[in-house]
Amino acid sequence: MDDHEPQPPSPPPAVLPLLGDHGAPWRPVSPELSTVRRVSATAVLVPLALATAAAAVFLTPWLAVATAVLAIVWSWLMWLIPRQVRAISWVELPEELAIRKGRMWRSMVTIPYGRIQYVDISSGPYKRSKGLADITVNTASPASSGDIPGLPVDVAEELRVRLAAHGEAQWAGL
């Protein structure tokens, strides 16, 4: 057997490829974020659909079109939200934090540790009940700031401490 036979192609990666990731250990956000976003969308759209359905019965049947549109939007969001959440990931690199989002319109923001001014953690009542929090990394320029939604609370708190420490260490070196 010849040792120089061509190897079969490897299967495509399971994660979203991104130019220049160089095998970095990208970390996803919690899948529970999908549940939170789905419940939030349902809490807004279903009452509106019910209201337009009632108005269609009592006022004019033309309002049934609005009910149908709201039902279609709700169905589309129930399909879209999990895909959006799976596309959010982040990685701590030696000199910066990188956050990437999106499947069709991908974006990536890198935040150098030396530019970090402060790091916020926020969590609404429903997110708290699911054990989730959001991290917002603030810099002097809004263009280089970023947020990571839907992290488990303990991960968010540890990340805030690490980012603040990185930021202070970089500032001290200036």
Side-chain angles (χ1 to χ4, degrees):
M1 218 160 130
D2 188 11
D3 288 351
H4 299 289
E5 291 180 13
Q7 299 294 323
S10 59
V15 296
L16 291 174
L18 184 66
L19 295 176
D21 68 356
H22 303 292
W26 290 94
R27 298 182 63 182
V29 297
S30 172
E32 282 294 313
L33 182 60
S34 289
T35 304
V36 170
R37 288 185 173 181
R38 282 177 157 184
V39 168
S40 298
T42 300
V44 171
L45 293 175
V46 169
L48 286 174
L50 293 174
T52 58
V57 169
F58 294 112
L59 298 177
T60 177
W62 285 102
L63 286 173
V65 173
T67 304
V69 168
L70 288 168
I72 290 168
V73 168
W74 178 84
S75 299
W76 178 69
L77 286 174
M78 295 303 109
W79 173 83
L80 180 66
I81 287 171
R83 285 152 186 81
Q84 286 178 328
V85 169
R86 284 194 303 265
I88 302 170
S89 58
W90 58 280
V91 64
E92 290 178 83
L93 300 171
E95 298 295 321
E96 62 195 2
L97 173 70
I99 304 167
R100 65 181 180 182
K101 298 177 183 180
R103 285 208 181 268
M104 188 172 257
W105 289 276
R106 294 182 184 167
S107 68
M108 183 172 81
V109 63
T110 57
I111 305 164
Y113 296 132
R115 295 196 179 264
I116 295 174
Q117 291 186 331
Y118 59 96
V119 181
D120 288 331
I121 294 181
S122 62
S123 184
Y126 188 55
K127 277 189 179 178
R128 271 195 313 275
S129 73
K130 293 292 187 181
L132 300 178
D134 300 340
I135 288 274
T136 303
V137 182
N138 297 286
T139 65
S141 169
S144 64
S145 297
D147 68 307
I148 308 171
L151 293 176
V153 172
D154 56 337
V155 172
E157 289 173 351
E158 291 170 5
L159 181 60
R160 185 195 65 77
V161 169
R162 280 195 311 273
L163 291 175
H166 280 306
E168 288 176 17
Q170 295 285 335
W171 274 100
L174 293 179

